[in-house]
Amino acid sequence: MRKKLAMKICAIAMTAAMVGTMAGCGNDSGSNASDSTPQSESGSSEEQGGADSASDETPADDGGEDAGGEDAGGEAAAYDCGGAVVRVNGGIWSKLSENNKDNADYAVGWDKVTQLNEKYNIDIQYVELQNDDGYSTSDAIQATITSGECFADLFTASDDVTVALRNYLVDISSFVDELQMGSIYIEPATWSGHTYGFTYDNMGSVYVLVYSRDYLKSIGMDVTPTEKFLAGEWSYDDCKEYFTELKAKLPDGTYPIGVHSNHWASMAPAANGAVSVDSDGGIHLADDNYVEAIEFYRELLDLGLAAPITNVAKNEDGSINADQPYGHADMCTATEAKTFVITMAEAWQMNGLESTLSGEWGIVPWPWGSNVTCEGDYTTLSPEYHTAQSIWTNMLAPQKEYRGAGAKDIPDEVLFMIAKDWCDLDNPSGAAARTAMYEAEKAGQPYENLGYTPGTQGDFSTAEDAALYDWLHSRVMVDWGHAVQELGYVRVNRSAAYIIAGGDDGRSTGESFKSEGEQAMADAFK
């Protein structure tokens, strides 16, 4: 923040101070509630946030300078909030929880809190959200707000909670530029023209398709899916051709691919240039490129190239049940054929794949359809090829009237500077990426997003995969389908399940669920 503005906000703060914040997996073989997000093999949601936990971690000695000098936000302390208590909760704040006391990052986190406390003359306190069952978080938070005081003055929450609580949140649109963050970190908190905060997630750390390189070698496949993608040969037609060759080498009962319809709907459309729902609430379930992407997986099923979906049943309430194999426990390992060769993995799941698959594993991005062109290798893919960020975590704050006694008097701009400084201290590499993108965009220059720690191999078996994953960050786009799905406004997952599991026509199904969603959105946002 510019020094002049910083001193101005300081004066405001001091003056104010004188006057007085899914479907459970059950087992690895299937899911029986296609409207909700499948859960991981550990029982937690596979769509728990875009942050790449493996690459976002920062060593204990990676913090900022000592308080009182060039600290936290990179400039001398300029604010005095009069010792106000600032209650924080969730996500990137959670290492401060007493529940985390036995972990090494607890003490490190509180050391960094000391810097913020001294810089802003505040008292950060970690609080817990009561009566939160993990499925109705927005209701639990809203209950505290409508009772007169939000449970926290700064908190993190998912995409759907952001939309649900929008009328109670600070709109930072008027000062968002002062946070100096690239647009890809602002867009996830921008709904229908209003910006309610920012995401600190590593945008682009998302789902990819994974497989065992060792298994493919053992059955005589000379080319891997990764090599096909790198060569620019991973269109829908290329994919079918490769899977057909692969299927011929597989034993009976083993298939080239097995992906849950929810996951396919979450990621595959973006690779064909589509989102299910955009940031303005526009629903695209009936768009040509979206329908083509969903119907492609149904085609793989019809051709016997994808693991069969069984026990499909539509219920009287419109929901659909189906057993859909997709878990990593059903993947072919280095030495053992199982249900399928390829499935989906999220960033945080990659840590265990080496042992799960008993050897070297590989990644391949999602295939593309007719809306995307490729003139050579993967670097010549047309701009329509994207990587979908379908869920993320936002930093949010309730409006002043709903904050605690001391935090009411802290200007919104200062409160979000405190939040930004915490994110920067927690992950300096993330701070550098967010700022670099902002500076490039302000100067009218292109910025290639490669994630927070590009050039590092991390959990990948090969440097080739790591470089490809870095590249995927540069194609990230925001899809709000998960948010409105969780809120019950647009049945994105149900639409996909009708087409993929039920075999219904993609166009008419998309039109039907789009019409239903538009009515629900109109009722919700009127």
Side-chain angles (χ1 to χ4, degrees), residues 25-349:
C25 66
N27 55 56
D28 290 334
S29 62
S31 168
N32 281 316
S34 295
D35 285 358
S36 301
T37 302
Q39 290 184 321
S40 73
E41 292 148 280
S42 64
S44 59
S45 171
E46 287 185 343
E47 290 193 305
Q48 285 196 2
D52 182 346
S53 60
S55 62
D56 285 357
E57 289 300 323
T58 305
D61 60 355
D62 227 358
E65 300 292 332
D66 292 337
E70 292 290 308
D71 63 354
E75 63 179 40
Y79 313 105
D80 186 345
C81 296
V85 170
V86 177
R87 301 163 301 156
V88 300
N89 169 269
I92 199 168
W93 299 105
S94 62
K95 63 187 60 181
L96 305 176
S97 171
E98 286 289 314
N99 296 328
N100 197 41
K101 199 166 187 176
D102 294 334
N103 295 330
D105 58 2
Y106 178 83
V108 174
W110 279 105
D111 284 344
K112 293 174 181 177
V113 165
T114 298
Q115 296 185 46
L116 292 182
N117 284 344
E118 293 181 358
K119 176 175 181 177
Y120 293 97
N121 190 11
I122 55 177
D123 178 11
I124 290 178
Q125 297 180 6
Y126 190 85
V127 296
E128 303 287 354
L129 174 61
Q130 303 300 315
N131 303 316
D132 180 22
D133 60 6
Y135 295 95
S136 52
T137 300
S138 59
D139 291 339
I141 297 175
Q142 185 170 330
T144 70
I145 293 173
T146 55
S147 67
E149 183 174 300
C150 186
F151 81 108
D153 307 306
L154 281 171
F155 61 93
T156 68
S158 58
D159 48 359
D160 56 302
V161 174
T162 302
V163 176
L165 297 179
R166 66 196 181 282
N167 292 331
Y168 304 103
L169 300 176
V170 173
D171 184 340
I172 72 170
S173 302
S174 63
F175 59 87
V176 65
D177 193 57
E178 301 306 328
L179 296 178
Q180 299 187 359
M181 291 188 182
S183 59
I184 196 60
Y185 306 103
I186 300 301
E187 185 180 355
T190 302
W191 173 261
S192 194
H194 297 277
T195 300
Y196 299 105
F198 61 87
T199 186
Y200 51 85
D201 283 0
N202 190 351
M203 295 296 288
S205 287
V206 294
Y207 301 171
V208 289
L209 298 172
V210 296
Y211 61 91
S212 167
R213 277 191 166 94
D214 292 321
Y215 181 78
L216 289 180
K217 184 178 180 180
S218 75
I219 62 172
M221 289 297 289
D222 297 327
V223 178
T224 67
T226 307
E227 291 168 331
K228 293 288 289 183
F229 183 88
L230 292 174
E233 300 171 353
W234 202 238
S235 68
Y236 290 164
D237 287 340
D238 294 327
C239 211
K240 284 187 292 185
E241 181 180 349
Y242 183 84
F243 285 169
T244 300
E245 178 186 355
L246 176 56
K247 184 68 170 68
K249 296 178 183 292
L250 295 174
D252 290 343
T254 300
Y255 298 84
I257 191 169
V259 177
H260 196 286
S261 60
N262 292 0
H263 294 149
W264 190 265
S266 178
M267 292 299 297
N272 201 32
V275 293
S276 58
V277 179
D278 62 38
S279 297
D280 292 321
I283 303 172
H284 301 279
L285 301 183
D287 290 5
D288 289 345
N289 49 349
Y290 186 89
V291 171
E292 182 186 18
I294 301 300
E295 287 191 324
F296 176 64
Y297 196 82
R298 180 68 237 180
E299 184 179 1
L300 294 179
L301 285 163
D302 292 340
L303 292 171
L305 301 177
I309 298 174
T310 58
N311 299 321
V312 180
K314 294 180 183 177
N315 305 311
E316 291 184 3
D317 63 357
S319 62
I320 179 171
N321 290 1
D323 289 336
Q324 304 194 49
Y326 68 94
H328 296 151
D330 288 329
M331 291 179 69
C332 297
T333 67
T335 58
E336 183 180 2
K338 294 191 177 182
T339 306
F340 45 75
V341 177
I342 298 172
T343 193
M344 181 282 305
E346 193 177 354
W348 65 269
Q349 296 175 307

Side-chain angles (χ1 to χ4, degrees), residues 9-34:
I9 294 176
C10 175
I12 295 173
M14 293 179 70
T15 300
M18 287 186 290
V19 175
T21 140
M22 312 176 220
C25 66
N27 55 56
D28 290 334
S29 62
S31 168
N32 281 316
S34 295

Side-chain angles (χ1 to χ4, degrees), residues 438-451:
Y438 169 81
E439 291 176 343
E441 290 176 334
K442 289 296 287 185
Q445 300 169 349
Y447 176 80
E448 187 175 28
N449 176 37
L450 296 177

